[in-house]
């Protein structure tokens, strides 16, 4: 779960791309609006910890970093950020 | 306290009026009219001859008018007290008369008792204004409130520099397609410009704004904006630079000790901006530097219902924490992102041709374009780093330069080209977020002391400008500059590489010195801390804190300063602990103040502390003792503080006097407290700079009198306080005047006046002391209860609960308990015992009981009320225990205002316990204690159960009638009138049938209806009732009809049964 990128793929700095982010902790889906409109789903891990998955398309890297930064401000530790698909 | 008889001279040009007045005053045993005059001149002669205690003076008179007469009297015979009695309620007359030396201003149209009350107040050395005058002063005060704009002095010096956009350099590429997009976006609420550093975001917006004709402002954000208040202060200030008279309400909200919630702030701002009716563009630059969530919450709130007049341009390096997805969805957002902003090949060409005065090969241009990917700053760095055109080629060929390191590579190239002194300047100044000529000189010439050349700094800056070296001028009156963030960061990196830690510390130390010397305290402290010189920074704070405390006792600047120090460090420094204690004291967080004092005592002994710190320590020791109910020790500590306090600290001195007087009152030395205050007031009279001091002392007089139960005096003093504090624009003190007026009027059962004052406090709740706001809500709820506006009362108690749970009230569990118990009290008043019980159960029980002070709502006392209402043997027993326990406490601290309340409840409790004699004995005590002060509210709240006992008291005192007891008899009569729901100006409202609040009915019945109900119980017929009450049977019939409707019954029998059921009357 700790990979920060996917190998064999490259993505440009200014192009849109589809990402999946995983954080430790529980956030309500209503936060989607302020997290780049990503879809939000929470689950319980095997050791009964709340884990939240966010996924969606970002316009560029600035938006992605904005989302990650917001998660930081919400005090949610990152588990992974992965690129799913790029254009 | 009154000796013999007070002598009065009446001056009025209407003989009939004088005669009426004379009759009225001579009705009072303690007043005698010894002379009359018809104009000013005659009055002065007469007064010189008779030397009365009081002159009652008209304003409009033939010959010398009242104002001139007052001036003459007060200068020639200052001992004589002047009461102005006039038909004029305009402010200028009131002001002129008070300035001429009158102690009191009473309107001719007010009630006759007003004059009597005025005379008694004035003779005690206080001043008095008619209640209706108070409302004049009130309304003018409200006007005044909105006028007090623009007073963040000191902070604004720093602010100014943030509010200007960077200047455009001469060689920037004009980008019409982007300008067009900005133009199009300006009709939407928000344009978002997001790209990494160096893509020309600011330059683009600036160049658009140059041709934009409507109002616009620019805010360059930085890390200090990670504070909602500060952010909003910039925001409001920026808009005020465009519209100086705008945003008065928002501005006053920002002065609050604790900020209102964001939705309130946003709504008010939007409303005030809409009122302007003009388009405004607000640019927020570098939004990524703000991480404080509340700032984003505020902005999100703003975009939820955006103002059609306001367009935001928000710029940053990454997407801000805003609801961007939904803004996009609802088409409220225009966006410019990296792919829009980067230079096209054409633009790159255009730029290079502009900055290079020599031709450059096309293939090189396209290579450079590829290499920099349209990154404008990279392009600029490349140009700056080159000596000759070929260097560009070299750079392009150098395959070792990985694109990641282009920037650093380029900056090194730039630095290498510079002369040694210029390099040093560049590196050293990179430590500062803003710099000016003198600061640069001071920092960079640290080795050759004495021969500092200020020009050097300016020369450095002008060279930066000439070479277009990423320097940004912060416009405005100040002469400040900063580096472009990107460049500053790169330079800083080089600085750390080239200089040792000690050298860097030295730079910070020098900067701290410079900032402090030039009056930039905050930056002085900040750089002192960065230099690791915490002691120096602490010293700077200590030196400046008095000034800040005095200037604006909300202390927000102080809070900011303190927050820059590490917590552990504060714990070791007496001056910082004391500064923090002031802040917490201001917020009524007394337990924390105590903890700080304990901490201070653990690190310093009385011998090691400086005298001024010692004075403050003793002050807080006294404060802590006072709030713990130990007046004696408090007095000692405060006297110590007074002796140790250095001269000139008038703010602290006023606080010392305040607590000293309160402590003396607490130990029963009322006279000493009051005399001490008068003495101090006398000494300071005449000096101009002591208005704040005088106001605090006057307010203290008010509190001392209130706690002693003297309501009339309190009102007189508070009116004066209102006048003084309004005149000197001392907002915080003014709110205390309203508070005192509100609670005094409430206890006097002057409900409309009480409501006016409480409502004013509640309206301004966000700028006020949370505990006072809570009491104002409680007062409002009670007043509505008494006015039989039950739904309003419930609503207010709900608002109180909402307020107390808000974050900005401090989320204090004690305040929440107070709110719940207030709700319980309202339910009790309405006879809804089970709901009241639920509210009490919700209260947290682990909160220690603080001093009762003047607070209207004490949860434990309400609990006793509930227990009495429940009425079981065990609950009554428990109530009795609580009451006697608290009574011991309030008597021990000479807190008469609460003692009265407690005794009245003891009366009620004893009645319920069937101990009639005991109840009567308590009643006698209660009346004796409250009679001179005019207390009514506690009796009325206790309810109709008291009526019989009061009537018994009345008949007993009639039978052994002595002149001594006549005051008491009058007081009891007043209580009875109010208790039976018939008093001046307040008409009991028709009951809402649907609401059916049984216990309320007793309030709704008039005294007459009550009498008739009693006679109905004796089964008398209309004719017989009429004969007994000297009214016609027809009138009796209409009264009975009303009784039926109020009790919701249809016949006499039911009426009596229901009235007994509701305990309005008792069974025969």
């Amino acid at each position: 779960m700790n990979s920060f990128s996917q190998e064999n793929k490259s993505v440009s700095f200014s192009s849109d791309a589809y990402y999946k982010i995983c954080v430790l902790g529980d956030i309500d889906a209503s936060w989607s609006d302020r997290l780049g409109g990503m879809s939000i789903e929470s689950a319980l891990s095997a050791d009964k910890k709340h884990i939240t998955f966010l996924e969606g398309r970002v316009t560029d890297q600035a938006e992605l970093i904005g989302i990650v930064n917001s998660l930081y401000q919400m005090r949610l530790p990152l588990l992974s950020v992965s690129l799913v698909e790029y254009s | 306290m009154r000796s013999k008889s007070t002598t009065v001279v009446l001056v009025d040009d209407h003989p009939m009026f004088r005669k009426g007045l004379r009759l009225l005053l001579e009705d009072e045993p303690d007043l005698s009219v010894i002379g009359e005059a018809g104009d000013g001149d005659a009055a002065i002669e007469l007064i010189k001859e008779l030397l009365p205690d009081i002159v009652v003076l008209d304003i409009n008179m033939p010959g010398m008018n009242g104002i001139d007469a007052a001036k003459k009297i007060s200068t020639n015979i200052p001992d004589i007290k002047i009461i102005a009695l006039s038909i004029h309620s305009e402010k200028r007359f009131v002001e002129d008369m008070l300035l001429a030396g009158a102690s009191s201003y009473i309107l001719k149209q007010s009630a006759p008792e007003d004059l009597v009350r005025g005379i008694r107040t004035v003779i005690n050395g206080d001043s008095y204004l008619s209640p209706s005058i108070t409302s004049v002063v009130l309304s003018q005060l409200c006007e005044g409130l909105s006028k007090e704009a623009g007073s963040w002095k000191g902070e604004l010096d720093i602010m100014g520099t943030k509010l200007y956009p960077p200047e455009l350099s001469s060689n920037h590429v004009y980008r019409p397609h982007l300008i067009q997009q900005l133009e199009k976006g300006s009709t939407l609420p928000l344009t978002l410009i997001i790209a990494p550093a160096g893509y020309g975001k600011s330059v683009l917006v600036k160049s658009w704004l140059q041709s934009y004709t409507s109002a616009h402002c620019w805010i360059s954000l930085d890390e200090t904006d990670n504070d909602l208040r500060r952010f909003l202060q910039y925001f409001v200030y920026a808009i005020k630079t465009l519209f100086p008279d705008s945003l008065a309400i928002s501005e006053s909200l920002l002065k609050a000790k604790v900020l209102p919630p964001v939705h309130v702030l946003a709504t008010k701002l939007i409303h005030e901006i809409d009122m302007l009716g003009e388009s405004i563009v607000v640019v927020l630059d570098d939004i990524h530097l703000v991480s404080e969530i509340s700032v984003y919450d505020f902005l999100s709130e703003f975009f939820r219902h955006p103002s059609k007049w306001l367009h935001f341009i928000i710029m940053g390096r990454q997407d801000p924490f805003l609801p961007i997805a939904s803004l996009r969805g609802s088409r409220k957002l225009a966006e410019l992102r990296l792919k829009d902003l980067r230079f096209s090949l054409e633009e790159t060409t255009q730029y290079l041709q502009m900055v290079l005065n020599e031709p450059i090969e096309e293939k090189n241009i396209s290579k450079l374009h590829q290499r920099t990917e349209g990154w404008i700053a990279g392009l600029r760095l490349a140009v700056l780093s080159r000596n000759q055109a070929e260097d560009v080629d070299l750079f392009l060929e150098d395959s070792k330069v990985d694109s990641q390191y282009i920037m650093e590579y380029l900056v090194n190239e730039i630095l290498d080209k510079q002369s040694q002194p210029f390099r040093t300047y560049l590196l050293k100044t990179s430590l500062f977020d803003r710099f000016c000529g003198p600061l640069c000189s001071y920092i960079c010439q640290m080795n050759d002391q004495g021969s500092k050349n200020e020009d050097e700094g300016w020369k450095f800056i002008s060279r930066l400008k000439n070479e277009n070296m990423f320097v940004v001028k912060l416009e405005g009156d100040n002469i400040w500059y900063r580096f472009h963030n990107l460049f500053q960061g790169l330079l800083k990196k080089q600085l750390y590489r080239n200089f040792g830690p000690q050298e860097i510390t030295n730079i910070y130390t020098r900067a701290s010195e410079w900032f402090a010397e030039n009056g930039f305290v905050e930056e002085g402290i900040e750089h002192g801390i960065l230099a690791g010189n915490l002691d120096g920074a602490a010293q700077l704070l200590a030196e400046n804190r008095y000034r800040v405390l005095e200037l604006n006792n909300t202390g927000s600047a102080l809070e900011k300063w303190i927050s820059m120090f590490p917590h552990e460090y504060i714990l070791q420094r007496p001056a910082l602990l004391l500064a923090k204690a002031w802040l917490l004291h201001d917020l009524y967080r007394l337990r924390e103040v105590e903890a700080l004092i304990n901490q201070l005592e653990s690190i310093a002994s009385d011998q090691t502390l400086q005298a001024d710190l010692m004075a403050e320590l003793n002050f807080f020791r006294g404060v802590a003792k006072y709030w713990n109910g130990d007046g004696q020790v408090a007095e000692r500590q405060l006297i110590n503080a007074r002796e140790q306090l250095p001269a000139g600290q008038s703010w602290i001195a006023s606080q010392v006097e305040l607590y000293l007087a309160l402590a003396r009152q607490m130990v029963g030395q009322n006279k000493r407290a009051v005399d001490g205050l008068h003495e101090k007031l006398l000494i300071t009279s005449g000096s101009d700079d002591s208005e704040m001091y005088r106001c605090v002392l006057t307010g203290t007089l008010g509190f001392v009198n209130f706690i002693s139960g003297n309501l009339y005096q309190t009102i007189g003093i508070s009116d004066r306080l209102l006048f003084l504090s309004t005149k000197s624009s001392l907002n915080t003190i003014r709110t205390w005047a309203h508070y005192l007026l509100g609670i005094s009027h409430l206890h006097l059962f002057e409900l409309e006046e009480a409501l006016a004052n409480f409502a004013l406090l509640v309206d301004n709740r966000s700028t006020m002391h949370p505990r006072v706001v809570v009491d104002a809500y409680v007062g409002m709820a009670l007043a509505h209860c008494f006015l039989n506006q039950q739904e309003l009362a419930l609503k207010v108690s709900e608002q109180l609960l909402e307020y107390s749970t808000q974050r900005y009230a401090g989320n204090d569990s004690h305040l929440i308990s107070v709110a719940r118990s207030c709700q319980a009290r309202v339910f009790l008043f309405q006879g809804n015992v089970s709901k009241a019980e639920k509210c009490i159960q919700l209260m947290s029980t682990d909160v220690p009981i603080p001093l009762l002070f003047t607070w209207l709502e004490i949860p434990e006392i309400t609990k006793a009320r509930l227990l009495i209402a429940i009425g079981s043997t065990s609950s009554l027993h428990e109530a009795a225990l609580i009451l006697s326990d608290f009574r011991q406490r309030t008597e021990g601290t000479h807190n008469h205002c609460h003692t009265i309340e407690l005794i009245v409840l003891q009366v009620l409790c004893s009645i319920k316990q069937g101990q009639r004699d005991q109840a009567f004995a308590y009643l006698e005590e209660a009346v004796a204690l409250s009679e001179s002060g005019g207390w009514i509210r506690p009796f009325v709240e206790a309810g109709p159960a008291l009526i019989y006992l009061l009537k018994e008291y009345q008949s007993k005192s009639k039978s052994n009638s002595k002149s001594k007891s006549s005051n008491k008899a009058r007081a009891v009569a007043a209580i009875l009138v109010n208790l039976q729901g018939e008093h001046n100006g307040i008409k009991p409202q028709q009951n809402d049938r649907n609401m059916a609040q049984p216990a309320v009915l007793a309030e709704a019945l008039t005294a007459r209806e009550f009498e008739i109900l009693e006679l109905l119980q004796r089964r008398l017929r209309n004719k017989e009732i009429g004969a007994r009450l000297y009214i016609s049977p027809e009138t009796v019939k209409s009264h009975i009809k009303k009784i039926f409707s109020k009790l919701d019954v249809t016949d006499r029998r039911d009426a009596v049964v229901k009235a007994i059921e509701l305990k309005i009357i008792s069974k025969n």
Side-chain angles (χ1 to χ4, degrees), chain B residues 546-581:
Chain B
Y546 291 135
R547 196 173 49 84
V548 180
L549 275 172
E550 200 168 323
L551 198 72
N552 158 13
N553 60 48
T554 64
S556 68
L558 194 59
E559 192 174 357
K560 169 99 184 135
W561 298 354
I562 294 175
S563 69
M564 289 194 273
F565 289 89
H567 180 65
E568 298 72 33
Y569 183 77
I570 296 175
L571 292 181
Q572 298 306 319
R573 301 291 300 186
L576 296 189
L577 285 169
L578 286 168
K580 205 166 175 185

Side-chain angles (χ1 to χ4, degrees), chain A residues 14 33-34 60 62-63 66 69, chain B residues 297 318-319 321 323 326 337:
Chain A
S14 60
D33 200 20
R34 289 174 73 172
D60 53 22
E63 182 169 8
N69 198 30
Chain B
D297 285 343
Q318 54 200 242
D319 285 40
F321 189 43
S326 70
R337 309 190 70 92

Side-chain angles (χ1 to χ4, degrees), chain A residues 13-14 31-37 59-60 62-63 65-67 69-70 73-74, chain B residues 194 196 291 293 296-297 300 317-319 321-326 328 337-338 342:
Chain A
F13 206 53
S14 60
W31 283 99
S32 163
D33 200 20
R34 289 174 73 172
L35 294 168
T59 319
D60 53 22
E63 182 169 8
I65 293 305
I67 293 166
N69 198 30
S70 301
Q73 279 160 10
M74 293 165 78
Chain B
I194 302 295
S291 58
I293 290 186
Y296 292 112
D297 285 343
S300 305
R317 295 189 190 167
Q318 54 200 242
D319 285 40
F321 189 43
L322 292 172
I324 292 166
S326 70
R328 234 179 237 150
R337 309 190 70 92
L338 199 154
R342 66 174 164 216

Side-chain angles (χ1 to χ4, degrees), chain B residues 388-425:
Chain B
Q388 292 147 340
E390 305 87 73
D391 288 1
V392 175
D393 304 339
L394 272 178
F395 155 64
L396 292 171
E397 301 305 327
D398 190 348
S399 58
K400 281 184 289 182
V401 185
D402 187 358
S403 63
Q404 258 184 300
Y405 298 113
I406 291 180
M407 283 194 300
E408 277 197 50
Y409 169 84
L410 291 171
V411 166
N412 266 330
E413 291 293 294
I414 295 169
L415 284 173
D416 281 347
K417 271 175 34 188
Q418 313 304 335
S419 67
Q420 187 55 40
F422 190 73
R423 242 182 84 116
T424 311
Y425 263 92

